[in-house]
Amino acid sequence: MKIRNFYYILLGILTFSVVACEEANEWGVDTSHDRLFRSTKFEVKETNPTSALLSFRGVTNATKYVFDFSEGDSLLFNNIVFTTNILADTLTAYNKETSEVKTEYHVLFLNLNGTTRYSVRLKAVDENTGMESGYVQLCFDTTDEQIFTTVTPGTTNVSLNWQADKKATRIEYGELVKTEIEGEEAKTDTIWATPHELTSAEQQAGELVINDLKPGTNYITYILNEKVRRGSYKFKTLGSSKGTTISVGVSDDINALLAAAPAGDVTLSFTGGQTYEVGEFTIPETVTNLYVSGNVVSGRMPKLNMTKFVFSALMDNFYVQYMDVVSDGKSQFLIELGGKTGFKNVSFEGCNISEIPRSLIRTNSGDLEVGAIAISNCFIKNVGLSGYGLLNIGKLKSLSTISITNTTMLNIGDQIMDLRVQTDKVTFTQSIFCNYDINMPKLLRLDKQPKEITVTGVIFTGDNKGGKMNSGNSDYSKYLSFAGCYLTSDFQENDKKFTDAQILKISSEELFVDPKNGDFHFKPEAKFEGDGKVGDPRWWTK
């Protein structure tokens, strides 16, 4: 009897349990959770001024992916500027896995604004069912865009050039002023001028000249499309910010102008497109710092036909800026230093220099202490065809640095540098050397090893008039490397190799547009990997 009662009790419990389970299976589903899963990975792989490469993992059953781009905020999405739909069947997997949720895709988004913060959110959609995933999101900043191609300063103006096919509406510029506060680091403030709204003609030409600037002064300029910055550039106007600035006329006696100038700093301001006949260019002992400064007009520098520079005393600094200096051949050297007259520092910047029989600079003085010899952004041709080489540093009491940067040299004789004194630092970078009309036997003569020497980013090219070239007068390979330099196939090394240089399989005329006539733009079909990286930057593809 007891066993039978227990049986009925157990049967009742089981019956109740079955009924309870059936009722649970009939519960409804919350439609707010009836959706696709989110992508499990969403990140930025690369940012550029006007593009970004985004990576994400796929979503099962997704037929398209929706990207919303919001500009100028951080994941707030208050300013969505565009939405892009990408169909799943148009995607190519970057990293294909067995499951969709582990498969990685890369998508490149173009036509972004430079120097801008973007928030991006991504959702997956199944168009067959209408189901969507939740959003995944990220934030990134595009890098600075640079559409300026050249910025050429004058003494009281600057010529701005930019890519005319890039939309631009305004130029902003201002003077950079350092504020000194005792006990604190100097701060740089900007005194902004009235912005210049570009005319349609200026936009189409991609060119603007800003006038009424101060000589020897630091400025910054921005180019914008409405509120979006598309480029920036810092520059310094030519000449000195102090002393006397003299505008030189074509018929003026330059030596008389210098002799009559007040003692101290003097800036001689020349006009582009004009030719000045000088002969011997004599610098009086009253001049402390001299700036020979050219104002480029419509791409043309002032031309200075002259014999040589003559120094009456020891001056501090001698600068030649944006001048087309042509030797008349009456002196073997453009600058020759002996005794106690000369300068502490010399610089040639942005110049064309040509037709000097022997050297641009020759020193033969045991009394002079020279700080820096600097050549930058110059085009030099037909120098040293009678020997001695571009720089002939035969004798000095001391020499700190020699630098040749961003410079193109065409047809240079003997060597580019004959260095017979101890030097702290020698730099030869981002340049092009090319000989066709003369056979240079050696690139360098270094009688005393510099404390530091760097040669990199230089392209050595041309057939050297059929001759082979040594890297040096002796074997300098223990301390001198040409890593980062290139030799074209027609440039033949002699016994003393250009250690660590990369040898190209193409010749000078296959690499450059017209090297024999001084056009070293890279041919597009050459597909040179060093474009934008090595050689003189003036020839890079913009």
Side-chain angles (χ1 to χ4, degrees), residues 28 116 516:
T116 301
K516 289 185 177 179

Side-chain angles (χ1 to χ4, degrees), residues 421-441:
V421 303
Q422 181 65 64
T423 308
D424 292 334
K425 185 175 181 180
V426 174
T427 303
F428 182 28
T429 60
Q430 299 300 137
S431 297
I432 292 175
F433 175 89
C434 180
N435 267 12
Y436 285 110
D437 296 340
I438 188 168
N439 177 357
M440 177 187 281

Side-chain angles (χ1 to χ4, degrees), residues 378-505:
C378 291
F379 191 107
I380 304 172
K381 68 176 182 179
N382 298 338
V383 173
L385 304 190
S386 298
Y388 280 64
L390 180 67
L391 299 177
N392 187 276
I393 313 302
K395 194 176 181 182
L396 280 176
K397 187 175 182 179
S398 66
L399 174 60
S400 180
T401 64
I402 294 178
S403 64
I404 302 174
T405 59
N406 298 0
T407 291
T408 298
M409 289 170 280
L410 178 61
N411 295 324
I412 309 298
D414 212 9
Q415 64 254 314
I416 65 164
M417 195 179 302
D418 184 340
L419 184 58
R420 307 190 189 193
V421 303
Q422 181 65 64
T423 308
D424 292 334
K425 185 175 181 180
V426 174
T427 303
F428 182 28
T429 60
Q430 299 300 137
S431 297
I432 292 175
F433 175 89
C434 180
N435 267 12
Y436 285 110
D437 296 340
I438 188 168
N439 177 357
M440 177 187 281
K442 61 189 177 303
L443 184 74
L444 301 168
R445 174 173 174 168
L446 308 174
D447 283 11
K448 294 187 178 181
Q449 178 183 338
K451 294 179 181 179
E452 180 182 343
I453 182 167
T454 301
V455 181
T456 190
V458 182
I459 302 173
F460 297 95
T461 189
D463 64 7
N464 199 35
K465 203 176 181 180
K468 294 181 179 181
M469 187 185 299
N470 284 307
S471 63
N473 193 49
S474 300
D475 183 1
Y476 309 138
S477 60
K478 290 183 179 179
Y479 64 85
L480 175 57
S481 169
F482 290 84
C485 296
Y486 289 79
L487 315 180
T488 56
S489 62
D490 52 338
F491 183 91
Q492 298 298 303
E493 297 173 281
N494 211 330
D495 297 335
K496 299 171 182 66
K497 305 297 184 182
F498 288 68
T499 307
D500 302 322
Q502 185 170 337
I503 300 174
L504 299 174
K505 295 181 180 179

Side-chain angles (χ1 to χ4, degrees), residues 296-355:
V296 177
V297 177
S298 299
R300 299 173 64 194
M301 290 187 284
K303 180 179 285 188
L304 196 63
N305 287 334
M306 60 173 294
T307 303
K308 64 179 179 179
F309 290 107
V310 178
F311 300 87
S312 303
L314 178 62
M315 62 189 303
D316 288 338
N317 299 296
F318 177 54
Y319 302 99
V320 184
Q321 304 171 308
Y322 292 89
M323 298 291 294
D324 184 0
V325 181
V326 183
S327 169
D328 59 15
K330 296 179 181 178
S331 171
Q332 297 297 302
F333 312 99
L334 193 71
I335 293 174
E336 185 174 16
L337 302 182
K340 298 181 179 180
T341 65
F343 44 73
K344 295 179 181 177
N345 301 289
V346 61
S347 170
F348 287 86
E349 176 191 3
C351 295
N352 290 342
I353 302 167
S354 61
E355 313 310 325

Side-chain angles (χ1 to χ4, degrees), residues 84-102:
T84 298
N85 296 322
I86 298 179
L87 298 178
D89 60 8
T90 65
L91 289 168
T92 300
Y94 175 78
N95 185 18
K96 182 69 175 175
E97 296 289 346
T98 54
S99 65
E100 184 67 11
V101 296
K102 292 182 179 180

